[in-house]
Amino acid sequence: MEPTLPPEGLPAYRLLTGPDDATFCRRVSEAIAMGYKLYGSPAATFDGTSVIVAQAIIWPSIEASVARSSAGA
């Protein structure tokens, strides 16, 4: 049985952002290893210097409620 809440008081929904580099990839990988699931597609933009990326992640216990709210949108 999976925990209903994320560890360490982390929120159930998170948006990870940062430069598109190994550090960002490690942050996403660590969140997945912790039990988070990717939510939606990643986003990328260019700030004039670097590519900045974003990836939403959710804790599995809220997955059904997120899907219901998305279906009504």
Side-chain angles (χ1 to χ4, degrees):
M1 182 174 161
E2 68 188 33
T4 57
L5 297 173
E8 303 170 21
L10 292 168
Y13 171 88
R14 295 170 61 193
L15 181 63
L16 303 178
T17 61
D20 186 15
D21 60 12
T23 299
F24 178 81
C25 293
R26 273 193 287 282
R27 289 176 56 215
V28 173
S29 296
E30 288 168 0
I32 291 169
M34 226 187 278
Y36 280 93
K37 290 186 171 188
L38 300 178
Y39 183 70
S41 299
T45 190
F46 183 69
D47 69 1
T49 305
S50 303
V51 174
I52 305 299
V53 290
Q55 175 64 60
I57 57 174
I58 60 171
W59 194 252
S61 64
I62 69 164
E63 193 168 16
S65 63
V66 170
R68 282 193 304 272
S69 68
S70 296

Short mmCIF file of all heavy atoms in Angstrom, two decimals:
data_model
loop_
_atom_site.label_atom_id
_atom_site.label_comp_id
_atom_site.label_asym_id
_atom_site.label_seq_id
_atom_site.Cartn_x
_atom_site.Cartn_y
_atom_site.Cartn_z
N MET A 1 0.85 -1.18 0.00
CA MET A 1 0.00 0.00 0.00
C MET A 1 0.89 1.25 0.00
O MET A 1 1.80 1.38 0.81
CB MET A 1 -0.90 -0.02 1.23
CG MET A 1 -1.85 1.13 1.31
SD MET A 1 -2.96 0.89 2.70
CE MET A 1 -3.52 2.54 2.90
N GLU A 2 0.62 2.16 -0.92
CA GLU A 2 1.46 3.37 -1.01
C GLU A 2 1.00 4.41 0.00
O GLU A 2 -0.17 4.48 0.37
CB GLU A 2 1.40 3.94 -2.42
CG GLU A 2 0.05 4.50 -2.79
CD GLU A 2 -0.03 4.89 -4.26
OE1 GLU A 2 0.60 4.25 -5.09
OE2 GLU A 2 -0.75 5.85 -4.53
N PRO A 3 1.92 5.21 0.49
CA PRO A 3 1.55 6.27 1.43
C PRO A 3 0.60 7.27 0.77
O PRO A 3 0.70 7.54 -0.43
CB PRO A 3 2.89 6.94 1.77
CG PRO A 3 3.96 6.11 1.17
CD PRO A 3 3.33 5.20 0.17
N THR A 4 -0.33 7.81 1.55
CA THR A 4 -1.28 8.76 0.98
C THR A 4 -0.71 10.17 0.89
O THR A 4 -1.23 10.99 0.16
CB THR A 4 -2.58 8.80 1.80
OG1 THR A 4 -2.27 9.12 3.15
CG2 THR A 4 -3.29 7.46 1.74
N LEU A 5 0.35 10.43 1.63
CA LEU A 5 0.98 11.75 1.59
C LEU A 5 2.45 11.61 1.22
O LEU A 5 3.11 10.65 1.59
CB LEU A 5 0.87 12.44 2.96
CG LEU A 5 -0.54 12.75 3.44
CD1 LEU A 5 -0.49 13.27 4.86
CD2 LEU A 5 -1.21 13.74 2.52
N PRO A 6 2.97 12.60 0.52
CA PRO A 6 4.40 12.57 0.19
C PRO A 6 5.26 12.66 1.45
O PRO A 6 4.83 13.17 2.48
CB PRO A 6 4.60 13.82 -0.67
CG PRO A 6 3.25 14.27 -1.06
CD PRO A 6 2.30 13.75 -0.05
N PRO A 7 6.50 12.18 1.37
CA PRO A 7 7.39 12.24 2.52
C PRO A 7 7.88 13.65 2.80
O PRO A 7 7.78 14.53 1.94
CB PRO A 7 8.56 11.33 2.11
CG PRO A 7 8.56 11.39 0.62
CD PRO A 7 7.12 11.55 0.21
N GLU A 8 8.40 13.82 4.00
CA GLU A 8 9.09 15.05 4.39
C GLU A 8 8.21 16.30 4.27
O GLU A 8 8.71 17.40 4.07
CB GLU A 8 10.37 15.23 3.56
CG GLU A 8 11.32 14.06 3.67
CD GLU A 8 12.47 14.11 2.68
OE1 GLU A 8 12.78 15.21 2.17
OE2 GLU A 8 13.05 13.05 2.41
N GLY A 9 6.88 16.13 4.36
CA GLY A 9 5.99 17.29 4.31
C GLY A 9 5.91 17.95 2.95
O GLY A 9 5.43 19.07 2.82
N LEU A 10 6.37 17.28 1.90
CA LEU A 10 6.32 17.85 0.55
C LEU A 10 4.88 17.91 0.07
O LEU A 10 4.05 17.10 0.46
CB LEU A 10 7.17 17.01 -0.41
CG LEU A 10 8.67 17.05 -0.15
CD1 LEU A 10 9.39 15.97 -0.96
CD2 LEU A 10 9.23 18.42 -0.50
N PRO A 11 4.57 18.85 -0.83
CA PRO A 11 3.20 18.95 -1.34
C PRO A 11 2.89 17.83 -2.33
O PRO A 11 3.81 17.24 -2.93
CB PRO A 11 3.17 20.31 -2.04
CG PRO A 11 4.60 20.60 -2.38
CD PRO A 11 5.43 19.93 -1.32
N ALA A 12 1.61 17.54 -2.50
CA ALA A 12 1.17 16.48 -3.41
C ALA A 12 1.38 16.89 -4.88
O ALA A 12 1.54 16.04 -5.74
CB ALA A 12 -0.28 16.12 -3.16
N TYR A 13 1.35 18.17 -5.17
CA TYR A 13 1.59 18.68 -6.52
C TYR A 13 2.83 19.55 -6.46
O TYR A 13 2.95 20.40 -5.58
CB TYR A 13 0.41 19.52 -7.02
CG TYR A 13 0.71 20.24 -8.32
CD1 TYR A 13 0.49 19.61 -9.54
CD2 TYR A 13 1.26 21.52 -8.33
CE1 TYR A 13 0.79 20.26 -10.74
CE2 TYR A 13 1.57 22.17 -9.52
CZ TYR A 13 1.33 21.53 -10.72
OH TYR A 13 1.62 22.16 -11.90
N ARG A 14 3.73 19.34 -7.40
CA ARG A 14 4.93 20.17 -7.48
C ARG A 14 5.23 20.49 -8.93
O ARG A 14 4.96 19.69 -9.82
CB ARG A 14 6.13 19.43 -6.88
CG ARG A 14 5.99 19.15 -5.40
CD ARG A 14 7.06 18.23 -4.88
NE ARG A 14 8.41 18.79 -5.03
CZ ARG A 14 9.51 18.09 -4.88
NH1 ARG A 14 9.47 16.81 -4.58
NH2 ARG A 14 10.70 18.67 -5.03
N LEU A 15 5.77 21.65 -9.16
CA LEU A 15 6.25 22.03 -10.49
C LEU A 15 7.74 22.27 -10.36
O LEU A 15 8.17 23.24 -9.73
CB LEU A 15 5.55 23.29 -11.00
CG LEU A 15 5.98 23.74 -12.40
CD1 LEU A 15 5.63 22.68 -13.44
CD2 LEU A 15 5.35 25.07 -12.75
N LEU A 16 8.51 21.36 -10.93
CA LEU A 16 9.96 21.49 -10.89
C LEU A 16 10.39 22.33 -12.08
O LEU A 16 9.94 22.09 -13.20
CB LEU A 16 10.61 20.10 -10.95
CG LEU A 16 10.18 19.12 -9.85
CD1 LEU A 16 10.87 17.77 -10.07
CD2 LEU A 16 10.51 19.67 -8.48
N THR A 17 11.25 23.31 -11.84
CA THR A 17 11.74 24.17 -12.91
C THR A 17 13.23 24.38 -12.75
O THR A 17 13.79 24.22 -11.66
CB THR A 17 11.05 25.56 -12.87
OG1 THR A 17 11.35 26.20 -11.64
CG2 THR A 17 9.54 25.44 -13.04
N GLY A 18 13.87 24.74 -13.85
CA GLY A 18 15.29 25.06 -13.79
C GLY A 18 15.93 24.95 -15.14
O GLY A 18 15.28 24.59 -16.13
N PRO A 19 17.22 25.24 -15.20
CA PRO A 19 17.95 25.09 -16.46
C PRO A 19 17.91 23.63 -16.91
O PRO A 19 17.90 22.71 -16.09
CB PRO A 19 19.38 25.51 -16.11
CG PRO A 19 19.27 26.30 -14.85
CD PRO A 19 18.07 25.76 -14.13
N ASP A 20 17.90 23.42 -18.21
CA ASP A 20 17.89 22.06 -18.77
C ASP A 20 19.29 21.48 -18.67
O ASP A 20 20.10 21.59 -19.59
CB ASP A 20 17.41 22.11 -20.22
CG ASP A 20 17.24 20.74 -20.83
OD1 ASP A 20 17.22 19.76 -20.06
OD2 ASP A 20 17.12 20.65 -22.06
N ASP A 21 19.57 20.87 -17.53
CA ASP A 21 20.89 20.30 -17.30
C ASP A 21 20.77 19.04 -16.46
O ASP A 21 19.67 18.61 -16.09
CB ASP A 21 21.82 21.33 -16.63
CG ASP A 21 21.31 21.82 -15.28
OD1 ASP A 21 20.36 21.23 -14.72
OD2 ASP A 21 21.86 22.82 -14.77
N ALA A 22 21.90 18.44 -16.15
CA ALA A 22 21.91 17.19 -15.38
C ALA A 22 21.30 17.37 -14.00
O ALA A 22 20.65 16.45 -13.48
CB ALA A 22 23.34 16.66 -15.28
N THR A 23 21.47 18.53 -13.39
CA THR A 23 20.91 18.78 -12.06
C THR A 23 19.39 18.71 -12.10
O THR A 23 18.76 18.09 -11.24
CB THR A 23 21.38 20.15 -11.52
OG1 THR A 23 22.80 20.12 -11.42
CG2 THR A 23 20.78 20.45 -10.17
N PHE A 24 18.79 19.34 -13.11
CA PHE A 24 17.34 19.29 -13.24
C PHE A 24 16.89 17.84 -13.45
O PHE A 24 15.93 17.38 -12.81
CB PHE A 24 16.85 20.17 -14.40
CG PHE A 24 15.37 20.09 -14.59
CD1 PHE A 24 14.52 20.83 -13.79
CD2 PHE A 24 14.82 19.26 -15.55
CE1 PHE A 24 13.14 20.75 -13.95
CE2 PHE A 24 13.45 19.16 -15.72
CZ PHE A 24 12.60 19.92 -14.92
N CYS A 25 17.56 17.12 -14.32
CA CYS A 25 17.20 15.72 -14.59
C CYS A 25 17.31 14.88 -13.31
O CYS A 25 16.46 14.02 -13.05
CB CYS A 25 18.07 15.14 -15.69
SG CYS A 25 17.77 15.91 -17.29
N ARG A 26 18.33 15.13 -12.50
CA ARG A 26 18.47 14.42 -11.23
C ARG A 26 17.31 14.74 -10.29
O ARG A 26 16.79 13.86 -9.61
CB ARG A 26 19.80 14.75 -10.55
CG ARG A 26 20.94 13.86 -11.01
CD ARG A 26 22.16 13.99 -10.11
NE ARG A 26 22.87 15.25 -10.29
CZ ARG A 26 23.70 15.51 -11.29
NH1 ARG A 26 23.91 14.61 -12.21
NH2 ARG A 26 24.30 16.67 -11.39
N ARG A 27 16.88 16.01 -10.25
CA ARG A 27 15.76 16.39 -9.38
C ARG A 27 14.48 15.65 -9.78
O ARG A 27 13.75 15.16 -8.92
CB ARG A 27 15.52 17.90 -9.44
CG ARG A 27 16.61 18.69 -8.74
CD ARG A 27 16.43 20.19 -8.89
NE ARG A 27 15.14 20.64 -8.42
CZ ARG A 27 14.43 21.63 -8.97
NH1 ARG A 27 14.89 22.27 -10.01
NH2 ARG A 27 13.27 21.98 -8.47
N VAL A 28 14.22 15.57 -11.07
CA VAL A 28 13.04 14.84 -11.55
C VAL A 28 13.19 13.35 -11.22
O VAL A 28 12.25 12.73 -10.70
CB VAL A 28 12.82 15.06 -13.06
CG1 VAL A 28 11.70 14.17 -13.57
CG2 VAL A 28 12.52 16.53 -13.34
N SER A 29 14.36 12.79 -11.47
CA SER A 29 14.60 11.37 -11.18
C SER A 29 14.44 11.07 -9.69
O SER A 29 13.86 10.04 -9.32
CB SER A 29 16.00 10.97 -11.65
OG SER A 29 16.10 11.09 -13.04
N GLU A 30 14.93 11.94 -8.84
CA GLU A 30 14.79 11.74 -7.39
C GLU A 30 13.33 11.79 -6.97
O GLU A 30 12.90 11.01 -6.12
CB GLU A 30 15.60 12.79 -6.63
CG GLU A 30 17.10 12.57 -6.73
CD GLU A 30 17.92 13.76 -6.23
OE1 GLU A 30 17.34 14.79 -5.80
OE2 GLU A 30 19.16 13.66 -6.31
N ALA A 31 12.56 12.69 -7.56
CA ALA A 31 11.14 12.78 -7.23
C ALA A 31 10.41 11.50 -7.64
O ALA A 31 9.56 10.98 -6.90
CB ALA A 31 10.51 14.00 -7.89
N ILE A 32 10.75 10.98 -8.81
CA ILE A 32 10.14 9.72 -9.27
C ILE A 32 10.53 8.58 -8.33
O ILE A 32 9.68 7.77 -7.94
CB ILE A 32 10.55 9.42 -10.73
CG1 ILE A 32 9.91 10.44 -11.67
CG2 ILE A 32 10.18 8.00 -11.12
CD1 ILE A 32 10.45 10.41 -13.08
N ALA A 33 11.78 8.53 -7.93
CA ALA A 33 12.24 7.48 -7.01
C ALA A 33 11.53 7.58 -5.66
O ALA A 33 11.31 6.57 -5.00
CB ALA A 33 13.76 7.57 -6.83
N MET A 34 11.16 8.81 -5.27
CA MET A 34 10.45 9.04 -4.02
C MET A 34 9.01 8.54 -4.09
O MET A 34 8.39 8.27 -3.08
CB MET A 34 10.43 10.56 -3.75
CG MET A 34 10.78 10.94 -2.36
SD MET A 34 10.53 12.72 -2.13
CE MET A 34 12.03 13.38 -2.80
N GLY A 35 8.48 8.43 -5.33
CA GLY A 35 7.11 7.97 -5.49
C GLY A 35 6.22 8.88 -6.30
O GLY A 35 5.06 8.55 -6.58
N TYR A 36 6.72 10.07 -6.68
CA TYR A 36 5.93 10.98 -7.50
C TYR A 36 5.77 10.42 -8.90
O TYR A 36 6.58 9.60 -9.36
CB TYR A 36 6.61 12.35 -7.61
CG TYR A 36 6.42 13.24 -6.41
CD1 TYR A 36 7.36 13.25 -5.38
CD2 TYR A 36 5.33 14.09 -6.32
CE1 TYR A 36 7.19 14.08 -4.28
CE2 TYR A 36 5.17 14.93 -5.22
CZ TYR A 36 6.09 14.91 -4.20
OH TYR A 36 5.94 15.73 -3.12
N LYS A 37 4.72 10.86 -9.60
CA LYS A 37 4.50 10.50 -11.00
C LYS A 37 4.55 11.77 -11.84
O LYS A 37 4.12 12.84 -11.38
CB LYS A 37 3.13 9.86 -11.18
CG LYS A 37 3.03 8.48 -10.57
CD LYS A 37 1.70 7.87 -10.94
CE LYS A 37 1.66 6.42 -10.52
NZ LYS A 37 0.46 5.76 -11.03
N LEU A 38 5.05 11.64 -13.06
CA LEU A 38 5.03 12.78 -13.98
C LEU A 38 3.59 13.13 -14.28
O LEU A 38 2.74 12.25 -14.41
CB LEU A 38 5.77 12.43 -15.28
CG LEU A 38 7.24 12.05 -15.15
CD1 LEU A 38 7.79 11.69 -16.52
CD2 LEU A 38 8.04 13.17 -14.53
N TYR A 39 3.30 14.42 -14.41
CA TYR A 39 1.96 14.87 -14.74
C TYR A 39 2.05 15.83 -15.92
O TYR A 39 2.61 16.91 -15.81
CB TYR A 39 1.30 15.56 -13.53
CG TYR A 39 -0.11 15.97 -13.82
CD1 TYR A 39 -1.11 15.02 -13.96
CD2 TYR A 39 -0.44 17.30 -13.98
CE1 TYR A 39 -2.40 15.40 -14.24
CE2 TYR A 39 -1.73 17.69 -14.26
CZ TYR A 39 -2.71 16.72 -14.39
OH TYR A 39 -4.00 17.08 -14.68
N GLY A 40 1.52 15.41 -17.04
CA GLY A 40 1.57 16.25 -18.23
C GLY A 40 2.93 16.22 -18.88
O GLY A 40 3.86 15.54 -18.45
N SER A 41 3.01 16.98 -19.95
CA SER A 41 4.25 17.05 -20.72
C SER A 41 5.19 18.09 -20.12
O SER A 41 4.73 19.06 -19.52
CB SER A 41 3.93 17.45 -22.16
OG SER A 41 3.10 16.50 -22.76
N PRO A 42 6.48 17.92 -20.32
CA PRO A 42 7.41 18.95 -19.88
C PRO A 42 7.25 20.20 -20.76
O PRO A 42 6.74 20.12 -21.88
CB PRO A 42 8.78 18.31 -20.08
CG PRO A 42 8.57 17.25 -21.10
CD PRO A 42 7.16 16.79 -20.96
N ALA A 43 7.68 21.32 -20.25
CA ALA A 43 7.66 22.58 -21.00
C ALA A 43 9.07 23.12 -21.04
O ALA A 43 9.88 22.87 -20.14
CB ALA A 43 6.73 23.59 -20.32
N ALA A 44 9.37 23.86 -22.10
CA ALA A 44 10.70 24.46 -22.24
C ALA A 44 10.57 25.85 -22.84
O ALA A 44 9.68 26.11 -23.64
CB ALA A 44 11.59 23.58 -23.12
N THR A 45 11.45 26.73 -22.42
CA THR A 45 11.52 28.07 -22.97
C THR A 45 12.98 28.51 -22.98
O THR A 45 13.82 27.90 -22.32
CB THR A 45 10.64 29.06 -22.17
OG1 THR A 45 10.56 30.30 -22.87
CG2 THR A 45 11.19 29.30 -20.77
N PHE A 46 13.26 29.54 -23.70
CA PHE A 46 14.61 30.09 -23.77
C PHE A 46 14.59 31.48 -23.18
O PHE A 46 13.79 32.32 -23.59
CB PHE A 46 15.09 30.12 -25.23
CG PHE A 46 16.50 30.60 -25.38
CD1 PHE A 46 17.56 29.82 -24.93
CD2 PHE A 46 16.77 31.80 -25.99
CE1 PHE A 46 18.87 30.25 -25.08
CE2 PHE A 46 18.08 32.24 -26.15
CZ PHE A 46 19.13 31.47 -25.69
N ASP A 47 15.43 31.75 -22.19
CA ASP A 47 15.42 33.04 -21.50
C ASP A 47 16.44 34.03 -22.07
O ASP A 47 16.74 35.04 -21.46
CB ASP A 47 15.62 32.87 -20.00
CG ASP A 47 17.02 32.41 -19.62
OD1 ASP A 47 17.87 32.22 -20.52
OD2 ASP A 47 17.26 32.23 -18.41
N GLY A 48 16.99 33.71 -23.24
CA GLY A 48 18.01 34.57 -23.83
C GLY A 48 19.41 34.06 -23.58
O GLY A 48 20.35 34.44 -24.26
N THR A 49 19.55 33.20 -22.58
CA THR A 49 20.84 32.62 -22.24
C THR A 49 20.77 31.09 -22.18
O THR A 49 21.63 30.42 -22.72
CB THR A 49 21.33 33.14 -20.87
OG1 THR A 49 21.36 34.57 -20.92
CG2 THR A 49 22.71 32.63 -20.54
N SER A 50 19.76 30.60 -21.49
CA SER A 50 19.65 29.16 -21.24
C SER A 50 18.26 28.66 -21.59
O SER A 50 17.29 29.42 -21.59
CB SER A 50 19.89 28.86 -19.76
OG SER A 50 21.13 29.35 -19.34
N VAL A 51 18.17 27.35 -21.83
CA VAL A 51 16.88 26.70 -21.94
C VAL A 51 16.41 26.39 -20.52
O VAL A 51 17.14 25.80 -19.73
CB VAL A 51 16.97 25.41 -22.78
CG1 VAL A 51 15.65 24.66 -22.77
CG2 VAL A 51 17.39 25.73 -24.20
N ILE A 52 15.21 26.85 -20.20
CA ILE A 52 14.60 26.62 -18.89
C ILE A 52 13.47 25.62 -19.09
O ILE A 52 12.64 25.79 -19.99
CB ILE A 52 14.05 27.93 -18.27
CG1 ILE A 52 15.15 28.99 -18.21
CG2 ILE A 52 13.43 27.66 -16.90
CD1 ILE A 52 16.35 28.63 -17.36
N VAL A 53 13.44 24.59 -18.25
CA VAL A 53 12.45 23.54 -18.38
C VAL A 53 11.57 23.46 -17.14
O VAL A 53 11.95 23.93 -16.06
CB VAL A 53 13.11 22.17 -18.66
CG1 VAL A 53 13.71 22.15 -20.05
CG2 VAL A 53 14.17 21.85 -17.64
N ALA A 54 10.40 22.86 -17.32
CA ALA A 54 9.47 22.66 -16.22
C ALA A 54 8.80 21.31 -16.38
O ALA A 54 8.51 20.88 -17.50
CB ALA A 54 8.41 23.76 -16.20
N GLN A 55 8.59 20.63 -15.26
CA GLN A 55 7.87 19.36 -15.27
C GLN A 55 6.99 19.30 -14.02
O GLN A 55 7.48 19.44 -12.91
CB GLN A 55 8.84 18.17 -15.28
CG GLN A 55 8.15 16.82 -15.17
CD GLN A 55 7.25 16.53 -16.37
OE1 GLN A 55 7.72 16.50 -17.49
NE2 GLN A 55 5.97 16.32 -16.13
N ALA A 56 5.70 19.11 -14.23
CA ALA A 56 4.78 18.92 -13.12
C ALA A 56 4.86 17.47 -12.66
O ALA A 56 5.01 16.55 -13.47
CB ALA A 56 3.36 19.28 -13.53
N ILE A 57 4.76 17.28 -11.36
CA ILE A 57 4.72 15.94 -10.77
C ILE A 57 3.61 15.92 -9.73
O ILE A 57 3.30 16.95 -9.12
CB ILE A 57 6.07 15.54 -10.15
CG1 ILE A 57 6.53 16.55 -9.10
CG2 ILE A 57 7.13 15.37 -11.22
CD1 ILE A 57 7.80 16.15 -8.34
N ILE A 58 2.99 14.75 -9.57
CA ILE A 58 1.94 14.60 -8.56
C ILE A 58 2.19 13.35 -7.74
O ILE A 58 2.82 12.40 -8.19
CB ILE A 58 0.53 14.54 -9.19
CG1 ILE A 58 0.40 13.37 -10.16
CG2 ILE A 58 0.17 15.85 -9.85
CD1 ILE A 58 -1.02 13.12 -10.64
N TRP A 59 1.67 13.39 -6.52
CA TRP A 59 1.72 12.22 -5.66
C TRP A 59 0.57 11.31 -6.08
O TRP A 59 -0.54 11.78 -6.33
CB TRP A 59 1.61 12.64 -4.20
CG TRP A 59 1.99 11.54 -3.28
CD1 TRP A 59 1.16 10.81 -2.48
CD2 TRP A 59 3.29 11.01 -3.07
NE1 TRP A 59 1.87 9.87 -1.80
CE2 TRP A 59 3.19 9.97 -2.14
CE3 TRP A 59 4.55 11.32 -3.59
CZ2 TRP A 59 4.28 9.23 -1.71
CZ3 TRP A 59 5.64 10.58 -3.16
CH2 TRP A 59 5.50 9.55 -2.23
N PRO A 60 0.80 9.99 -6.20
CA PRO A 60 -0.23 9.09 -6.72
C PRO A 60 -1.58 9.16 -6.03
O PRO A 60 -2.61 8.95 -6.68
CB PRO A 60 0.40 7.70 -6.54
CG PRO A 60 1.87 7.95 -6.56
CD PRO A 60 2.05 9.30 -5.92
N SER A 61 -1.63 9.47 -4.74
CA SER A 61 -2.91 9.49 -4.04
C SER A 61 -3.85 10.58 -4.55
O SER A 61 -5.06 10.51 -4.32
CB SER A 61 -2.70 9.65 -2.53
OG SER A 61 -2.11 10.91 -2.23
N ILE A 62 -3.34 11.59 -5.26
CA ILE A 62 -4.23 12.63 -5.79
C ILE A 62 -4.50 12.45 -7.28
O ILE A 62 -5.24 13.23 -7.89
CB ILE A 62 -3.70 14.06 -5.53
CG1 ILE A 62 -2.44 14.35 -6.35
CG2 ILE A 62 -3.49 14.30 -4.05
CD1 ILE A 62 -2.11 15.83 -6.44
N GLU A 63 -3.95 11.40 -7.86
CA GLU A 63 -4.06 11.19 -9.31
C GLU A 63 -5.52 11.12 -9.77
O GLU A 63 -5.90 11.74 -10.76
CB GLU A 63 -3.31 9.93 -9.71
CG GLU A 63 -3.10 9.79 -11.19
CD GLU A 63 -2.10 8.69 -11.51
OE1 GLU A 63 -1.79 7.85 -10.64
OE2 GLU A 63 -1.64 8.68 -12.65
N ALA A 64 -6.36 10.39 -9.06
CA ALA A 64 -7.76 10.25 -9.47
C ALA A 64 -8.50 11.58 -9.38
O ALA A 64 -9.27 11.93 -10.27
CB ALA A 64 -8.46 9.20 -8.60
N SER A 65 -8.24 12.36 -8.33
CA SER A 65 -8.94 13.65 -8.21
C SER A 65 -8.45 14.64 -9.26
O SER A 65 -9.23 15.44 -9.78
CB SER A 65 -8.80 14.23 -6.80
OG SER A 65 -7.45 14.51 -6.51
N VAL A 66 -7.18 14.58 -9.63
CA VAL A 66 -6.66 15.45 -10.68
C VAL A 66 -7.29 15.08 -12.01
O VAL A 66 -7.69 15.94 -12.79
CB VAL A 66 -5.12 15.36 -10.75
CG1 VAL A 66 -4.58 16.06 -11.99
CG2 VAL A 66 -4.49 15.95 -9.50
N ALA A 67 -7.43 13.78 -12.27
CA ALA A 67 -8.05 13.33 -13.52
C ALA A 67 -9.50 13.77 -13.60
O ALA A 67 -9.97 14.22 -14.65
CB ALA A 67 -7.95 11.81 -13.65
N ARG A 68 -10.24 13.69 -12.48
CA ARG A 68 -11.65 14.13 -12.47
C ARG A 68 -11.76 15.61 -12.72
O ARG A 68 -12.59 16.07 -13.48
CB ARG A 68 -12.30 13.78 -11.13
CG ARG A 68 -12.71 12.33 -11.01
CD ARG A 68 -13.62 12.11 -9.80
NE ARG A 68 -13.02 12.55 -8.55
CZ ARG A 68 -12.25 11.80 -7.76
NH1 ARG A 68 -11.94 10.58 -8.13
NH2 ARG A 68 -11.77 12.28 -6.65
N SER A 69 -10.88 16.42 -12.11
CA SER A 69 -10.96 17.87 -12.29
C SER A 69 -10.56 18.26 -13.69
O SER A 69 -11.08 19.22 -14.26
CB SER A 69 -10.12 18.61 -11.24
OG SER A 69 -8.75 18.37 -11.43
N SER A 70 -9.63 17.53 -14.31
CA SER A 70 -9.24 17.80 -15.68
C SER A 70 -10.34 17.45 -16.67
O SER A 70 -10.51 18.12 -17.68
CB SER A 70 -7.97 17.02 -16.05
OG SER A 70 -6.89 17.46 -15.27
N ALA A 71 -11.08 16.41 -16.38
CA ALA A 71 -12.15 15.98 -17.27
C ALA A 71 -13.29 17.00 -17.30
O ALA A 71 -13.94 17.18 -18.32
CB ALA A 71 -12.69 14.61 -16.83
N GLY A 72 -13.46 17.72 -16.21
CA GLY A 72 -14.53 18.72 -16.14
C GLY A 72 -14.13 20.06 -16.72
O GLY A 72 -14.95 20.96 -16.86
N ALA A 73 -12.87 20.23 -17.06
CA ALA A 73 -12.38 21.53 -17.54
C ALA A 73 -12.72 21.75 -18.99
O ALA A 73 -12.98 20.93 -19.78
CB ALA A 73 -10.88 21.61 -17.35
#
